């Protein structure tokens, strides 16, 4: 089955800095990579995703990059703000259909200091 | 839609007691997932259902855990007997077949003393 490794487990940055979270996956059949954000005491929510036919996707201050050859993908947050503080989970899966069962990384706790 | 609903939100019980967690998925969603979240292991998939049928329960830690989905709008996760190491946040999530996003419930924080 799929195995997703996520690093770092904790990331501390100053407000305004950039933050990068990296994930690797093992199953070459995976071609959908979502990122979920979980604020303290809240539920995980999808913030951005990328599919294997795209190398990069941006949404305002967040971007994801994908390197299928190396089997790794990353989340980039620019101009970080205190409200970006949360746990971020990456995941990998075959393209949604009946078999879309994402395997999650263990999460990265991002702390943005004002 | 109210989203995925879970109850109770918090549960404190003593070791050896039976615990039942409940989930109501979003109407029309035909996939339902149960996850356990701990600091040590992150988000673990315990079991998932498709059209009320359990498809993969390989993540269920042991026989003390069981899950049912008697109809499209209700599922339970039962732990009997509970142990302190079962303390965690349990999330239910649902989605439609072919959709990308999973919608998580608010979670149940279980504490077993």
């Amino acid at each position: 089955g799929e195995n997703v490794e996520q690093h770092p487990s904790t990331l501390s940055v100053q407000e305004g800095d950039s933050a990068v979270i990296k994930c690797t996956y093992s199953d070459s059949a995976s071609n959908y990579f979502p990122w979920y954000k979980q604020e303290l005491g809240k539920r995980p929510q999808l913030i951005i995703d990328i599919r294997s036919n795209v190398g990069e996707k941006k949404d305002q201050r967040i971007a994801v990059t994908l390197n299928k050859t190396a089997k790794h993908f990353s989340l980039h947050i620019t101009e970080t703000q205190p409200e970006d503080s949360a746990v971020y989970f990456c995941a990998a899966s075959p393209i949604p259909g009946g078999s879309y069962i994402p395997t999650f990384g263990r999460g990265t706790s991002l702390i943005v200091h004002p | 839609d109210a989203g995925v609903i879970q109850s109770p939100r918090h549960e404190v019980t003593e070791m050896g007691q039976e615990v039942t967690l409940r989930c109501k998925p979003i109407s029309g969603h035909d996939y339902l997932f149960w996850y356990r979240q701990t600091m040590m292991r992150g988000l673990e998939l315990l079991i998932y259902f498709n059209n009320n049928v359990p498809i993969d329960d390989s993540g269920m830690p042991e026989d003390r855990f069981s899950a049912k989905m008697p109809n499209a709008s209700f599922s339970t996760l039962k732990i009997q007997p509970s142990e302190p190491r079962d303390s965690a946040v349990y999330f239910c999530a649902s989605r439609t077949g072919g959709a990308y996003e999973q919608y998580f419930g608010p979670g149940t924080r279980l504490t077993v003393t």
Side-chain angles (χ1 to χ4, degrees):
Chain A
E2 178 64 275
N3 181 47
V4 177
E5 299 284 339
Q6 183 171 350
H7 300 280
S9 57
T10 304
L11 180 58
S12 184
V13 301
Q14 288 296 127
E15 182 176 0
D17 289 349
S18 294
V20 181
I21 302 170
K22 299 181 179 181
C23 290
T24 60
Y25 62 98
S26 60
D27 189 348
S28 57
S30 287
N31 45 20
Y32 175 63
F33 308 91
W35 287 87
Y36 283 76
K37 175 183 180 182
Q38 184 182 22
E39 297 178 357
L40 187 63
K42 303 281 184 68
R43 71 193 76 187
Q45 292 187 291
L46 181 71
I47 56 170
I48 195 167
D49 56 17
I50 191 168
R51 297 164 210 179
S52 61
N53 59 344
V54 175
E56 183 176 5
K57 182 177 178 180
K58 289 183 179 179
D59 183 1
Q60 299 182 347
R61 294 185 299 106
I62 61 174
V64 290
T65 58
L66 171 65
N67 183 328
K68 281 221 77 181
T69 303
K71 295 197 186 73
H72 68 71
F73 57 111
S74 300
L75 177 71
H76 304 252
I77 306 174
T78 58
E79 300 173 24
T80 53
Q81 300 169 4
E83 51 265 38
D84 295 328
S85 296
V87 177
Y88 292 81
F89 293 95
C90 64
S93 168
I95 278 288
S99 61
Y100 167 48
I101 307 300
T103 299
F104 284 89
R106 290 188 50 185
T108 295
S109 178
L110 173 64
I111 303 165
V112 181
H113 298 281
Chain B
D1 198 321
V4 177
I5 299 171
Q6 290 185 247
S7 65
R9 295 294 307 276
H10 301 274
E11 177 80 37
V12 180
T13 191
E14 292 183 349
M15 182 174 62
Q17 296 298 306
E18 177 180 295
V19 175
T20 300
L21 312 182
R22 297 173 177 80
C23 175
K24 176 179 168 56
I26 293 173
S27 178
H29 284 192
D30 51 358
Y31 280 82
L32 183 139
F33 305 83
W34 281 101
Y35 290 92
R36 179 172 67 177
Q37 184 178 37
T38 60
M39 290 292 291
M40 291 297 294
R41 302 170 75 93
L43 262 178
E44 299 175 273
L45 177 64
L46 300 177
I47 185 172
Y48 77 93
F49 296 82
N50 177 217
N51 291 322
N52 314 336
V53 176
I55 303 301
D56 185 354
D57 65 354
S58 60
M60 297 285 260
E62 47 199 275
D63 292 345
R64 297 184 297 106
F65 285 69
S66 62
K68 294 182 180 179
M69 192 165 185
N71 57 63
S73 59
F74 184 65
S75 177
T76 60
L77 177 68
K78 185 177 293 186
I79 308 172
Q80 166 64 18
S82 58
E83 296 182 3
R85 59 194 169 116
D86 302 330
S87 297
V89 179
Y90 292 81
F91 285 102
C92 175
S94 70
R95 70 168 175 94
T96 57
Y100 291 98
E101 183 172 359
Q102 286 191 334
Y103 293 84
F104 285 80
T108 295
R109 181 173 295 277
L110 173 65
T111 303
V112 183
T113 61

